[in-house]
Amino acid sequence: MFSGRIFRSRWVALLWAAGIVWTAIDVAGANKAAPPASNATAAADAADALGQPVRNQDLAILANALN
């Protein structure tokens, strides 16, 4: 079995663990941009597929339709 061979040598196990950490950093991203401080500014700048600004009334209609 492959997992048994990995841990017979501590150097191979160390390289294997380094690869796992490298993959995790690559997938999760160490330098991702921070999320916005609040979603209020994102909602204020929101636009629909046609480029029209999204109004609160439109969001209320959508919320009622989903319930």
Side-chain angles (χ1 to χ4, degrees):
M1 182 174 218
F2 181 69
S3 61
R5 289 187 316 176
I6 289 175
F7 298 110
R8 286 185 187 162
S9 167
R10 69 181 70 170
W11 293 109
V12 174
L14 184 63
L15 289 174
W16 176 81
I20 296 297
V21 171
W22 186 351
T23 302
I25 291 172
D26 192 36
V27 170
N31 296 326
K32 297 284 183 185
S38 72
N39 289 336
T41 56
D45 296 334
D48 63 7
L50 299 175
Q52 302 293 329
V54 176
R55 300 177 302 161
N56 286 337
Q57 181 182 6
D58 297 334
L59 294 175
I61 293 169
L62 181 61
N64 285 334
L66 293 175
N67 287 330

